[in-house]
Amino acid sequence: MAPSPEPSAADTIPHGSRLDALHRSGLLDTPPDAAFDRLVRLVCCLLRVPVALVSLVDADRQFLKAAVGLPEPWASRREMPLTHSFCQHVVVSGARFVVDDARAHPVVRDNRAVAELG
């Protein structure tokens, strides 16, 4: 019998009160908001990075409340499956998650976003 695959981060995302609070926030599936858009532009400018996001991780996806620097179709969709999410690792661990080079980072180098979004 083959060993069962390792659980993905999506399998271990805490739900319950976190998801309740997320839904109560009223931010999921809302239109773009100028304040959040300014925030991600400011982050890109201050940190000199090409991409910045305000993302909300629910049970099966990452909703992008604001995003700068994503290619199409992701920029227009404003959401990604958890297969493309780095943020899920922050939700699972509850800790800071620093990735200097996603192509070499052992946790995310095989994440589909690395190949599909560059």
Side-chain angles (χ1 to χ4, degrees), residues 18-110:
R18 184 191 70 80
L19 277 183
D20 291 341
L22 180 59
H23 288 283
R24 281 193 316 273
S25 77
L27 292 173
L28 285 173
D29 300 313
T30 55
D33 180 291
F36 285 99
D37 292 341
R38 280 191 305 273
L39 176 66
V40 292
R41 286 194 306 271
L42 179 62
V43 166
C44 283
C45 182
L46 291 175
L47 299 180
R48 297 183 182 148
V49 294
V51 177
L53 312 169
V54 172
S55 67
L56 306 168
V57 178
D58 72 7
D60 59 357
R61 66 179 173 140
Q62 172 175 290
F63 172 68
L64 305 175
K65 181 59 185 161
V68 168
L70 289 179
E72 290 296 343
W74 306 105
S76 296
R77 285 184 188 161
R78 298 185 57 234
E79 69 175 40
M80 296 180 179
L82 291 178
T83 56
H84 292 65
S85 172
F86 288 16
C87 300
Q88 65 181 315
H89 300 288
V90 174
V91 174
V92 169
S93 70
R96 167 176 85 143
F97 183 59
V98 177
V99 177
D100 292 320
D101 183 347
R103 297 165 300 175
H105 195 284
V107 175
V108 295
R109 68 178 167 225
D110 295 324

